[in-house]
Amino acid sequence: MIYDTNLLIGHIRERSLPPLQTIISIVVVGELEAFSLKADWGAQKIDFMRYLIDRYPIGDIEFDIIPVYAQLDAFSQGKLKTAPLNYSARNMGKNDLWIAATALYLDMELHTTDNDFDRTGGPASPNVRIALSKALIIMQTTLEPQTSFEVTNKGFYGHFGGAFIPEMLYPNVEELRQNYLSIIADPAFQAEFWQLLEDYVGRPTPLFLAKRLSAKLGATIYLKREDLCHTGAHKINNTIGQILVAQRLGKKRIVAETGAGQHGVATATVCALMGLECIVYMGSIDMERQKPNVDRMRMLGATVVPATSGSQTLKDATNEAMRHWINNPVDTHYIIGSVVGPHPYPDMVARFQSVISGEVRKQLFAKTGSSNPDYVVACVGGGSNAAGAFYHYLNEPSVRLVAAEAAGQGVTSGHSAATTALGKPGVLHGSRTILMQTEDGQVIEPYSISAGLDYPGIGPLHAHLFESGRGDFYAITDDEALEAGFELSKLEGIIPALESAHALAALAKMNLQPDDVVVVCLSGRGDKDLSTYSKFL
Amino acid sequence: MTLTQNRITDLFATKSERLLNVYFTAGFPYLDDTMTVLRGLQAAGVDLVEIGMPYSDPVADGETIQHSNERALDNGMSLKTLFSQLADCRSATSGEPVTVPILLMGYINPVIQFGIENFCKKCQEVGVDGVILPDLPLDLFLDEYAPIFREYGILNVHLITPQTAESRIRLIDEESDGFIYMVSSASITGSVKGVSDSMRTYFERINAMNLRNPRLIGFGINNHETFDMASQYANGAIVGSAFIRHLAEKGTSAESIRAFVETIRA
């Protein structure tokens, strides 16, 4: 929460501290210092004030806050065209607007006793608080405890999740489980994580209004441009987070699995950045299919080990990476690339990817005056970009969450990866989820034209979204995805990854209405898929 | 918990040294080899037999056992088939009755699809005494499955490793019956050769804990020397990958199996 100046003055007078999760806006710091001068506070009181300020994270005015501030200012004066004020306008203190904008930007409650803020409005009290209350309603809905979609202590989302791991992996996974939340919450971690996302990954990624696509589909379509991230896909959001976790756990070596090679490249990249040894397991069939990514990983200094067991694709690479971890339990961290695996991986990866929907909320608010679209659409293999795109909307029932799975050559063709259409509950790679399996419980090898969706399960969060009806799941065939990929290229000048093309192809099946606002997570760029696309030119 | 009647607990009540438990994969090398190998092991005098329920993704196992799993699945092995193969093994109607304690070892997903209760019931019917399910975590077992296992008199054998914390070993000891499966090193099956000093330190550390359950050491036990060494520190040992390799190379005849067991026991 954000505490306003007057509340903090109360605390300083009482020599008491606000709650631990408080953030102090830089504007409030300025107001406090100014107040202490004007009120001629004694040395002790000033010492306590500075002690208090030092103790809490400071909410700086970042560049991204500016559009939020601008909207609030215009709205408070009844001059925002997209959201007219129903009451007579008034001028509000600019400092107060900055503080409110900071709270909005950080998705935090604003605590204040200021009358300017406090009157919640009505015809008789025309007040900027109306804007704030509207904003606060948005914020508070995200602040409510995520009772139904947040992971439990034991790692479950509804019936799905948990940590079904052999005892050999227990100490590693338990070490991670006990530490990941406190590591992530540490301000020094946060500072490093956000700095790298900004300076190295290139975040925030744009939210782009795709006008020609919108016109064609008859709805407003925004593209969240994860394809513009360093290494060409959202995968690096997670590997940046996990390498920082691995460093803080004192690990010297990173092991990872990869299917198409995107996660492998993102892992090799952060290992090069941090100077850690990197071993990537990749199915030997995938290594042939995705040679450029194998070369990229090797150029980045990683050792790429072919997984020669089983079907020699992603699931076998995952098995091999788990085995490597079993054999090297002390000094190695396993960077799982999706929201799959034993708890806490699905939750940890979702948290790192949640930057996607965190940005979407702010960007959409700046563009439309509302943080909430009608639909968020993303492709699901294991489901990490979808988890990130859905994350801040999980408890917003007005936002429909749409997942596009790979139907391959058709759901009933026998060559498919449409997990929710074909799968049953079971245990795969350490968690209870929905997976494609035989009647005897043997895992079925999936098929998709898109290597990133070629996985026999989905993350436990997605299994829960499916079972609870919170998400709509569409099965998209290879042909539909290809068509959508070519369409976006021609309409918007963006060549999407084949995975992302599945999300785009879902749009045509959604019965969109003219006033619908849709955000599509464009998870990756299509360069890696050119050899596939070029067969259909 | 204490079970009144179980071949595994009975065995450990009468014998506590140099016990040999041999693993083989059901339906390997050929679908109908399950009973042949089981009878061969009994005739060769092993103390316990661990029958692998093949699975497509056996993450705790190395190459040898994974290949035997793939082969068995290709042969058409399933839990249903395994139970039908074992159906009469304890009775005298089809040859010499099998009296050796039997454990089933495998992964949780096929068992879940079969149905946990149905699985335990079948185990009881055909005379399986215990199971080893490496990816069924202890807390989930205790929360959800333990009462069903108890109802049908099926032991669930838990693993400990060099990294398992002492408090957790105590918990596992408390919740175990039959024996504790000591994984010799941080490894998957079939991947270690020889015995290191750090292993000895680990074995001595566990010895000093005076656990109430007997212990068998597995992973990396592949010849007479390693079996001897394991038997110094525990009640015996488990041999798996080495036997699978032997079956693949030397066949499933009673003589071949006897020869293998003799080289281990020597």
Coordinates of all heavy atoms in Angstrom, one line a residue, chain A residues 226-281:
Chain A
E226 N 5.6 -9.3 -27.0 CA 6.7 -10.1 -26.3 C 7.7 -10.5 -27.3 O 8.9 -10.9 -27.0 CB 6.1 -11.3 -25.6 CG 5.3 -10.9 -24.4 CD 6.0 -10.1 -23.3 OE1 7.0 -10.6 -22.8 OE2 5.7 -8.9 -23.1
D227 N 7.3 -10.5 -28.6 CA 8.3 -10.9 -29.6 C 9.5 -9.9 -29.7 O 10.5 -10.2 -30.3 CB 7.6 -10.9 -31.0 CG 7.0 -9.6 -31.4 OD1 6.4 -9.0 -30.5 OD2 7.0 -9.2 -32.6
L228 N 9.3 -8.7 -29.1 CA 10.4 -7.7 -29.1 C 11.4 -7.8 -28.0 O 12.3 -7.1 -27.9 CB 9.8 -6.3 -29.2 CG 9.0 -6.0 -30.4 CD1 8.3 -4.6 -30.4 CD2 9.9 -6.1 -31.7
C229 N 11.1 -8.8 -27.1 CA 12.1 -9.1 -26.0 C 13.4 -9.5 -26.6 O 13.4 -10.2 -27.6 CB 11.6 -10.2 -25.1 SG 10.2 -9.7 -24.0
H230 N 14.5 -9.2 -25.9 CA 15.8 -9.8 -26.2 C 15.6 -11.3 -26.3 O 15.0 -12.0 -25.5 CB 16.8 -9.5 -25.1 CG 18.2 -10.0 -25.4 ND1 18.7 -10.0 -26.6 CD2 19.0 -10.6 -24.5 CE1 19.9 -10.6 -26.5 NE2 20.1 -11.0 -25.3
T231 N 16.2 -11.9 -27.3 CA 16.2 -13.3 -27.7 C 14.9 -13.7 -28.4 O 14.7 -14.8 -28.8 CB 16.4 -14.4 -26.6 OG1 15.3 -14.4 -25.7 CG2 17.7 -14.1 -25.8
G232 N 14.0 -12.8 -28.6 CA 12.8 -13.0 -29.5 C 11.6 -13.6 -28.9 O 10.7 -14.0 -29.7
A233 N 11.5 -13.7 -27.6 CA 10.3 -14.3 -27.0 C 10.2 -14.0 -25.5 O 11.2 -13.5 -24.9 CB 10.3 -15.8 -27.2
H234 N 9.1 -14.2 -25.0 CA 8.8 -14.0 -23.5 C 9.7 -14.8 -22.6 O 9.8 -14.5 -21.4 CB 7.4 -14.2 -23.2 CG 7.0 -15.7 -23.2 ND1 7.0 -16.4 -24.4 CD2 6.8 -16.6 -22.2 CE1 6.7 -17.7 -24.1 NE2 6.6 -17.8 -22.8
K235 N 10.3 -15.9 -23.1 CA 11.0 -16.9 -22.3 C 12.0 -16.2 -21.4 O 12.3 -16.7 -20.3 CB 11.7 -17.9 -23.1 CG 10.7 -18.9 -23.9 CD 10.1 -19.8 -22.9 CE 9.2 -20.9 -23.6 NZ 8.4 -21.7 -22.7
I236 N 12.6 -15.1 -21.8 CA 13.7 -14.5 -21.0 C 13.2 -13.9 -19.8 O 14.0 -13.7 -18.8 CB 14.5 -13.6 -21.9 CG1 15.9 -13.3 -21.3 CG2 13.8 -12.3 -22.2 CD1 17.0 -12.8 -22.2
N237 N 12.0 -13.5 -19.7 CA 11.4 -12.9 -18.4 C 11.7 -13.9 -17.3 O 12.0 -13.5 -16.2 CB 9.9 -12.6 -18.5 CG 9.6 -11.7 -19.6 OD1 10.3 -10.8 -20.0 ND2 8.4 -11.9 -20.2
N238 N 11.4 -15.1 -17.6 CA 11.6 -16.2 -16.6 C 13.0 -16.5 -16.3 O 13.4 -16.7 -15.1 CB 10.8 -17.4 -17.1 CG 11.1 -18.7 -16.3 OD1 11.1 -18.6 -15.0 ND2 11.4 -19.8 -17.0
T239 N 13.8 -16.6 -17.4 CA 15.2 -17.1 -17.1 C 16.0 -16.0 -16.4 O 16.9 -16.3 -15.6 CB 16.0 -17.4 -18.4 OG1 16.0 -16.3 -19.3 CG2 15.3 -18.6 -19.1
I240 N 15.7 -14.7 -16.6 CA 16.3 -13.6 -15.8 C 16.0 -13.8 -14.3 O 16.8 -13.8 -13.5 CB 15.8 -12.2 -16.3 CG1 16.3 -11.9 -17.7 CG2 16.2 -11.1 -15.3 CD1 17.7 -11.2 -17.7
G241 N 14.7 -14.0 -14.1 CA 14.3 -14.2 -12.7 C 14.9 -15.4 -12.0 O 15.5 -15.3 -10.9
Q242 N 14.9 -16.5 -12.8 CA 15.5 -17.8 -12.2 C 17.0 -17.7 -12.0 O 17.5 -18.3 -11.0 CB 15.1 -19.0 -13.0 CG 13.6 -19.4 -12.7 CD 13.3 -20.8 -13.0 OE1 14.1 -21.7 -12.6 NE2 12.3 -21.1 -13.8
I243 N 17.7 -17.0 -12.9 CA 19.2 -17.0 -12.7 C 19.5 -16.2 -11.5 O 20.4 -16.5 -10.7 CB 19.9 -16.5 -14.0 CG1 21.4 -16.9 -13.9 CG2 19.8 -15.0 -14.1 CD1 21.8 -17.9 -14.9
L244 N 18.7 -15.2 -11.2 CA 18.9 -14.4 -10.0 C 18.6 -15.2 -8.8 O 19.3 -15.1 -7.7 CB 18.1 -13.1 -10.0 CG 18.4 -12.1 -11.2 CD1 17.5 -10.9 -11.1 CD2 19.9 -11.6 -11.0
V245 N 17.6 -16.0 -8.8 CA 17.3 -16.9 -7.7 C 18.4 -17.9 -7.5 O 18.9 -18.2 -6.4 CB 15.9 -17.7 -8.0 CG1 15.7 -18.8 -6.9 CG2 14.8 -16.7 -7.9
A246 N 18.9 -18.5 -8.6 CA 20.0 -19.5 -8.6 C 21.2 -18.9 -7.9 O 21.9 -19.5 -7.1 CB 20.3 -20.0 -10.0
Q247 N 21.6 -17.7 -8.3 CA 22.7 -17.0 -7.7 C 22.6 -16.9 -6.2 O 23.5 -17.1 -5.5 CB 22.9 -15.6 -8.3 CG 23.5 -15.6 -9.7 CD 23.7 -14.1 -10.2 OE1 22.9 -13.3 -9.9 NE2 24.8 -13.9 -10.9
R248 N 21.3 -16.5 -5.8 CA 21.1 -16.3 -4.4 C 21.1 -17.6 -3.6 O 21.2 -17.6 -2.4 CB 19.9 -15.4 -4.1 CG 20.1 -14.0 -4.4 CD 18.9 -13.2 -4.8 NE 19.2 -11.8 -4.9 CZ 19.7 -11.2 -6.0 NH1 20.0 -12.0 -7.0 NH2 19.9 -10.0 -6.1
L249 N 20.8 -18.7 -4.3 CA 20.9 -20.0 -3.7 C 22.3 -20.6 -3.7 O 22.6 -21.7 -3.3 CB 19.9 -21.0 -4.3 CG 18.4 -20.7 -4.1 CD1 17.6 -21.7 -5.0 CD2 18.1 -20.9 -2.7
G250 N 23.3 -19.8 -4.3 CA 24.6 -20.2 -4.3 C 24.9 -21.3 -5.3 O 25.9 -22.0 -5.2
K251 N 24.1 -21.4 -6.4 CA 24.3 -22.4 -7.4 C 25.4 -22.0 -8.4 O 25.5 -20.8 -8.7 CB 23.0 -22.7 -8.1 CG 21.8 -23.1 -7.2 CD 22.1 -24.5 -6.5 CE 20.9 -24.8 -5.5 NZ 21.1 -26.1 -4.9
K252 N 26.1 -23.0 -8.9 CA 27.2 -22.7 -9.8 C 26.9 -23.1 -11.2 O 27.7 -22.8 -12.1 CB 28.5 -23.5 -9.3 CG 28.9 -23.2 -7.9 CD 29.5 -21.8 -7.8 CE 29.8 -21.4 -6.3 NZ 29.1 -20.3 -5.9
R253 N 25.9 -23.9 -11.4 CA 25.7 -24.5 -12.7 C 24.2 -24.5 -12.9 O 23.4 -24.7 -12.0 CB 26.2 -25.9 -12.7 CG 26.1 -26.5 -14.1 CD 26.4 -28.0 -14.1 NE 27.7 -28.4 -13.5 CZ 27.9 -29.3 -12.6 NH1 26.8 -30.0 -12.1 NH2 29.1 -29.6 -12.2
I254 N 23.8 -24.3 -14.2 CA 22.4 -24.3 -14.6 C 22.1 -25.4 -15.6 O 22.9 -25.6 -16.5 CB 22.1 -22.9 -15.3 CG1 22.3 -21.7 -14.3 CG2 20.6 -23.0 -15.9 CD1 21.4 -21.7 -13.1
V255 N 21.0 -26.1 -15.3 CA 20.6 -27.1 -16.3 C 19.2 -26.7 -16.8 O 18.4 -26.1 -16.0 CB 20.7 -28.5 -15.7 CG1 19.7 -28.7 -14.5 CG2 20.3 -29.6 -16.7
A256 N 18.9 -27.0 -18.0 CA 17.6 -26.7 -18.6 C 17.2 -27.7 -19.6 O 18.1 -28.4 -20.2 CB 17.6 -25.2 -19.1
E257 N 15.9 -27.7 -19.9 CA 15.4 -28.5 -21.0 C 15.0 -27.5 -22.1 O 14.6 -26.4 -21.8 CB 14.3 -29.4 -20.6 CG 12.9 -28.7 -20.6 CD 12.7 -27.6 -19.6 OE1 13.5 -27.6 -18.6 OE2 11.9 -26.7 -19.9
T258 N 14.9 -28.0 -23.3 CA 14.3 -27.1 -24.4 C 13.7 -28.0 -25.5 O 14.2 -29.1 -25.7 CB 15.4 -26.1 -24.9 OG1 14.7 -25.1 -25.6 CG2 16.4 -26.7 -25.9
G259 N 12.7 -27.4 -26.1 CA 12.0 -28.1 -27.2 C 12.5 -27.5 -28.5 O 13.4 -28.0 -29.1
A260 N 11.9 -26.4 -28.8 CA 12.3 -25.7 -30.0 C 13.6 -25.0 -29.9 O 14.2 -24.6 -30.8 CB 11.2 -24.6 -30.4
G261 N 14.0 -24.8 -28.6 CA 15.3 -24.1 -28.4 C 15.2 -22.7 -27.9 O 16.1 -22.1 -27.5
Q262 N 13.9 -22.2 -27.8 CA 13.8 -20.8 -27.4 C 14.1 -20.7 -25.9 O 14.8 -19.7 -25.5 CB 12.3 -20.3 -27.6 CG 11.9 -20.2 -29.1 CD 12.9 -19.3 -29.8 OE1 13.7 -19.8 -30.6 NE2 12.8 -18.0 -29.6
H263 N 13.6 -21.6 -25.1 CA 14.0 -21.5 -23.7 C 15.4 -21.8 -23.5 O 16.1 -21.2 -22.6 CB 13.1 -22.5 -22.9 CG 13.5 -22.6 -21.4 ND1 13.6 -21.6 -20.6 CD2 13.9 -23.7 -20.7 CE1 14.0 -22.0 -19.4 NE2 14.3 -23.3 -19.4
G264 N 16.0 -22.7 -24.3 CA 17.4 -23.1 -24.2 C 18.3 -21.8 -24.5 O 19.2 -21.5 -23.8
V265 N 17.9 -21.1 -25.5 CA 18.6 -19.9 -25.9 C 18.5 -18.8 -24.8 O 19.4 -18.2 -24.4 CB 18.1 -19.3 -27.2 CG1 18.6 -17.9 -27.5 CG2 18.5 -20.3 -28.4
A266 N 17.2 -18.7 -24.2 CA 17.0 -17.7 -23.2 C 17.8 -18.1 -21.9 O 18.3 -17.2 -21.2 CB 15.5 -17.6 -22.8
T267 N 18.0 -19.4 -21.7 CA 18.8 -19.8 -20.5 C 20.3 -19.6 -20.8 O 21.0 -19.1 -19.9 CB 18.5 -21.3 -20.2 OG1 17.1 -21.5 -20.0 CG2 19.2 -21.8 -19.0
A268 N 20.7 -20.0 -22.0 CA 22.1 -19.9 -22.3 C 22.5 -18.4 -22.2 O 23.6 -18.0 -21.8 CB 22.4 -20.4 -23.7
T269 N 21.6 -17.5 -22.7 CA 21.8 -16.1 -22.6 C 22.1 -15.5 -21.2 O 23.0 -14.9 -21.0 CB 20.6 -15.4 -23.3 OG1 20.4 -15.8 -24.6 CG2 20.7 -13.9 -23.3
V270 N 21.2 -15.9 -20.3 CA 21.4 -15.4 -18.9 C 22.6 -16.0 -18.3 O 23.2 -15.4 -17.4 CB 20.1 -15.5 -18.1 CG1 19.0 -14.7 -18.7 CG2 19.7 -16.9 -17.9
C271 N 22.9 -17.2 -18.6 CA 24.1 -17.9 -18.1 C 25.3 -17.1 -18.5 O 26.3 -16.9 -17.8 CB 24.2 -19.3 -18.4 SG 23.0 -20.4 -17.5
A272 N 25.3 -16.8 -19.8 CA 26.5 -16.0 -20.3 C 26.5 -14.7 -19.6 O 27.6 -14.2 -19.2 CB 26.3 -15.8 -21.8
L273 N 25.4 -14.0 -19.4 CA 25.3 -12.7 -18.7 C 25.9 -12.8 -17.3 O 26.6 -11.9 -16.9 CB 23.9 -12.3 -18.7 CG 23.6 -10.9 -18.0 CD1 24.1 -9.8 -18.8 CD2 22.1 -10.8 -17.8
M274 N 25.6 -13.9 -16.6 CA 26.0 -14.0 -15.2 C 27.3 -14.9 -15.0 O 27.7 -15.1 -13.9 CB 24.9 -14.7 -14.4 CG 23.6 -13.8 -14.4 SD 23.9 -12.2 -13.7 CE 22.4 -11.4 -13.9
G275 N 27.8 -15.4 -16.1 CA 29.0 -16.2 -16.0 C 28.8 -17.6 -15.3 O 29.7 -18.0 -14.6
L276 N 27.6 -18.2 -15.5 CA 27.4 -19.5 -14.9 C 27.5 -20.6 -16.0 O 27.1 -20.3 -17.1 CB 26.0 -19.6 -14.2 CG 25.8 -18.8 -12.9 CD1 24.5 -19.0 -12.3 CD2 26.9 -19.1 -11.9
E277 N 27.9 -21.8 -15.6 CA 28.0 -22.9 -16.5 C 26.5 -23.3 -16.9 O 25.6 -23.2 -16.1 CB 28.7 -24.1 -15.8 CG 28.9 -25.3 -16.8 CD 29.4 -26.5 -16.0 OE1 29.8 -26.3 -14.9 OE2 29.4 -27.6 -16.6
C278 N 26.3 -23.7 -18.2 CA 25.0 -23.9 -18.7 C 25.0 -25.2 -19.4 O 25.7 -25.4 -20.4 CB 24.6 -22.8 -19.6 SG 22.9 -23.0 -20.2
I279 N 24.1 -26.1 -19.0 CA 23.9 -27.4 -19.8 C 22.4 -27.5 -20.2 O 21.5 -27.4 -19.4 CB 24.2 -28.6 -18.9 CG1 25.7 -28.5 -18.4 CG2 23.9 -29.9 -19.6 CD1 26.1 -29.4 -17.3
V280 N 22.2 -27.6 -21.5 CA 20.8 -27.7 -22.0 C 20.6 -29.0 -22.6 O 21.3 -29.5 -23.5 CB 20.6 -26.6 -23.0 CG1 19.1 -26.7 -23.6 CG2 20.8 -25.2 -22.4
Y281 N 19.5 -29.7 -22.2 CA 19.1 -31.0 -22.8 C 18.1 -30.7 -23.8 O 17.2 -29.9 -23.6 CB 18.6 -31.9 -21.7 CG 19.6 -32.5 -20.9 CD1 20.1 -31.9 -19.7 CD2 20.2 -33.7 -21.3 CE1 21.1 -32.5 -18.9 CE2 21.3 -34.3 -20.5 CZ 21.7 -33.6 -19.4 OH 22.7 -34.2 -18.6

